Amino acid sequence: MSNKAYLEIGGERYEFPVITGTENESAVDIKTLRASTKIVTIDPGYKNTGSCESAITFLNGEKGILRYRGYAIEELAKHADFLEVAYLLIFGELPNGEQLEKFLSDIRKESHVDEEMKKIIDAFPRTAHPMGVLSSMTSALIAFNPSSVNVSSEEAMYHAIVRILAKFPVLVAWTMRKVMGLPREYGDNSLGYVENIHKMMFRHPHEEYRKDDLAIEALDQLLILHADHEQNCSTSTVRIVGSSHAGLFASLSAGISALWGPLHGGANQAVLEMLEAINEDGGDTAKYMAKAKDKSDPFRLMGFGHRVYKNFDPRAKIIKKAADSLLDDLGIEDPILDIAKGLEKEALEDPYFVDRKLYPNVDFYSGIIYRALGIPVEMFTVMFALGRLPGWIAQWREMRLRNEPIGRPRQIYIGANERPFVPIKKRK
Ligand code: ACO
């Protein structure tokens, strides 16, 4: 492909460089467009806009490829653990034994969350959505860790990073324990990272914690599969908030809010609620397929479709297999899983879904695993946030280290032209 692009406006011809990434993706570099032509581009939803150059995650939606720092998601899900993947995403390389040990030990030193934070979480009504609670609690952490805000050196960034990797799982566990009416407790620094999260979430006040290898393995894998996904809605939010130098925790809190929406991470809760509704309605999948295709009906098949994947979502493939084997191992027969499989089969044969390249996404089967693990449905998106944490951190760190400018898109104004002010008495 030529490394130049040409644009003709009003008889003038302008030349722009074409840049190419390591996987041969190309982009027209329009940094000088407005300065040289006085015009801007418009692209609602950023469907054709690259917001940055990034070395973290590569995905090819047509081929169903997802790689973190060059490693295939299938290999990482099979061979790595979540903390190794977090290190890989944030620092660029898989850690050796010593590096991983130091990373975990630095995280452990920061695992205390100020007791005053318990008062904040206690003040929320029991019915508050856990995503709202998590976002607020993450923001509240800033008040207790002010030195984490103004970080420009790599060392200061590292401290902010290990702090949040230590404290965020405590917030997640407290959020779930609030939903379940259980006391807010701390973890156990002698345990592995994910095992500790499992303990903090599930330990019953009157029982010894018993390690559950199956559950920990399933949780670890789900967290890896959610760990990063390049410039999606929440990640772009984290980068854009961080670009004002607002600090890591504030950027993450904004990212959590962006993830909450049902068109993004909130879909995992919406999928399970949809499957439950279909089950309660007699399991008539055909009826819901028809609703999803009816343009006068706002109903969408939740967990289907993706802005980028137009072939299959490689994460969905792994999760479907994991859901099958976990339910098998736990001896659970869940009618919801059968409904999900039925819907998937029908959709994959239906021209409406085939023509629009709509396939199950990461959220379609993840809720079935969360449910089997005993996680309440309103906590599903919180679990997604826990998995996405290293990705958000990695993207924020990359943005800061590259000294990216503040994010500030342009617009095309379509409102009223200048008009004289009308005093209130004269208004109609
Ligand atoms: N059910 C029925 N029809 C759908 C669905 C669906 N789940 N998804 C897309 N379509 C249809 C649209 O109506 C549209 O049809 P048209 O061309 O006849 O108008 C066409 O497919 C293209 O859909 P868009 O909404 O334009 O695609 P976009 O890339 O903007 O949206 C999105 C992607 C938001 C994921 C969409 O597919 C959707 O709403 N899916 C359901 C929600 C969901 O599962 N979200 C999780 C995504 S994964 C994640 O964020 C972690």
Side-chain angles (χ1 to χ4, degrees):
M1 186 186 284
S2 158
N3 58 359
K4 300 253 179 291
Y6 301 93
L7 180 65
E8 216 175 284
I9 315 166
E12 289 278 346
R13 196 164 191 251
Y14 301 90
E15 182 186 296
F16 298 94
V18 173
I19 59 160
T20 303
T22 45
E23 290 287 343
N24 291 323
E25 296 168 304
S26 292
V28 181
D29 178 349
I30 56 156
K31 281 194 217 72
T32 60
L33 177 71
R34 190 166 180 279
S36 55
T37 65
K38 294 202 169 51
I39 68 164
V40 297
T41 55
I42 187 150
D43 184 20
Y46 311 121
K47 293 191 179 192
N48 303 283
T49 298
S51 60
C52 59
E53 290 174 73
S54 176
I56 300 170
T57 289
F58 171 70
L59 76 86
N60 180 322
E62 280 72 33
K63 294 188 182 149
I65 294 172
L66 173 62
R67 296 186 203 129
Y68 299 160
R69 301 278 188 186
Y71 296 100
I73 190 66
E74 292 81 1
E75 283 207 62
L76 291 171
K78 201 164 169 191
H79 302 300
D81 70 33
F82 180 57
L83 198 63
E84 281 178 281
V85 169
Y87 187 100
L88 169 73
L89 283 166
I90 299 168
F91 303 111
E93 296 295 338
L94 283 168
N96 61 30
E98 211 175 292
Q99 288 166 326
L100 190 62
E101 196 44 53
K102 178 177 183 313
F103 190 43
L104 182 56
S105 140
D106 290 343
I107 290 171
R108 283 175 173 153
K109 284 180 206 142
E110 292 288 348
S111 54
H112 183 71
V113 171
D114 198 294
E115 278 291 295
E116 302 272 10
M117 289 279 287
K118 284 188 180 165
K119 291 187 194 151
I120 301 177
I121 195 163
D122 286 346
F124 281 97
R126 176 93 170 262
T127 49
H129 194 284
M131 282 299 274
V133 175
L134 185 67
S135 168
S136 309
M137 294 294 286
T138 306
S139 198
L141 267 185
I142 302 166
F144 296 91
N145 301 271
S147 65
S148 297
V149 179
N150 209 350
V151 288
S152 37
S153 72
E154 273 202 57
E155 200 193 340
M157 276 186 204
Y158 181 79
H159 278 126
I161 290 168
V162 292
R163 253 187 201 162
I164 196 68
L165 283 168
K167 298 181 200 306
F168 196 75
V170 181
L171 302 186
V172 166
W174 284 1
T175 304
M176 177 164 122
R177 294 178 78 88
K178 183 174 177 79
V179 171
M180 299 175 88
L182 294 170
R184 265 65 80 191
E185 294 176 355
Y186 294 99
D188 178 346
N189 273 346
S190 69
L191 305 180
Y193 189 72
V194 175
E195 185 185 356
N196 191 29
I197 294 173
H198 186 260
K199 177 178 177 179
M200 285 194 285
M201 289 174 70
F202 290 102
R203 197 186 84 82
H204 203 272
H206 303 292
E207 286 166 21
E208 272 296 298
Y209 169 71
R210 257 174 286 117
K211 188 177 178 197
D212 181 343
D213 287 326
L214 269 181
I216 293 165
E217 219 175 281
L219 197 55
D220 201 293
Q221 196 181 49
L222 272 184
L223 296 175
I224 291 173
L225 293 172
H226 285 90
D228 196 44
H229 213 237
E230 53 117 299
Q231 308 312 317
N232 55 79
C233 177
S234 56
T235 302
S236 301
T237 303
V238 168
R239 282 184 88 122
I240 207 160
V241 174
S243 77
S244 76
H245 296 194
L248 176 60
F249 300 178
S251 309
L252 292 171
S253 168
I256 295 164
S257 297
L259 187 73
W260 190 357
L263 298 189
H264 190 17
N268 58 12
Q269 176 176 343
V271 169
L272 208 95
E273 285 166 353
M274 175 189 80
L275 295 174
E276 275 171 350
I278 298 175
N279 190 34
E280 274 161 29
D281 196 18
D284 185 357
T285 50
K287 175 175 161 191
Y288 286 86
M289 288 289 289
K291 272 166 77 63
K293 293 188 283 182
D294 180 355
K295 291 289 171 197
S296 63
D297 189 326
F299 176 80
R300 278 191 166 196
L301 202 52
M302 298 312 287
F304 261 76
H306 197 275
R307 171 59 62 80
V308 184
Y309 291 120
K310 301 296 176 197
N311 181 334
F312 65 91
D313 181 338
R315 303 165 300 173
K317 269 196 173 175
I318 302 171
I319 292 182
K320 181 182 177 185
K321 235 170 111 189
D324 251 341
S325 74
L326 183 74
L327 264 56
D328 232 29
D329 289 345
L330 296 176
I332 298 175
E333 273 180 36
D334 192 342
I336 296 287
L337 182 62
D338 298 330
I339 290 176
K341 284 183 179 170
L343 276 177
E344 180 183 357
K345 188 169 179 299
E346 282 173 48
L348 293 181
E349 289 164 0
D350 190 303
Y352 174 94
F353 289 87
V354 174
D355 294 350
R356 289 171 180 76
K357 302 190 188 328
L358 301 169
Y359 298 89
N361 59 47
V362 66
D363 291 323
F364 194 63
Y365 285 104
S366 62
I368 290 164
I369 301 186
Y370 291 136
R371 184 166 128 118
L373 295 178
I375 298 172
V377 66
E378 61 270 43
M379 277 294 296
F380 289 3
T381 317
V382 167
M383 299 312 293
F384 190 152
L386 179 62
R388 186 53 56 87
L389 181 67
W392 286 333
I393 294 171
Q395 301 272 351
W396 168 84
R397 181 176 178 271
E398 180 181 70
M399 184 265 312
R400 289 300 306 268
L401 290 178
R402 287 174 63 91
N403 238 330
E404 281 178 15
I406 186 166
R408 203 301 185 187
R410 292 272 176 176
Q411 64 165 20
I412 294 295
Y413 176 68
I414 55 166
N417 294 113
E418 188 176 11
R419 45 187 174 159
F421 179 76
V422 183
I424 193 158
K425 283 186 188 144
K426 290 195 178 163
R427 287 177 217 160
K428 285 181 199 143

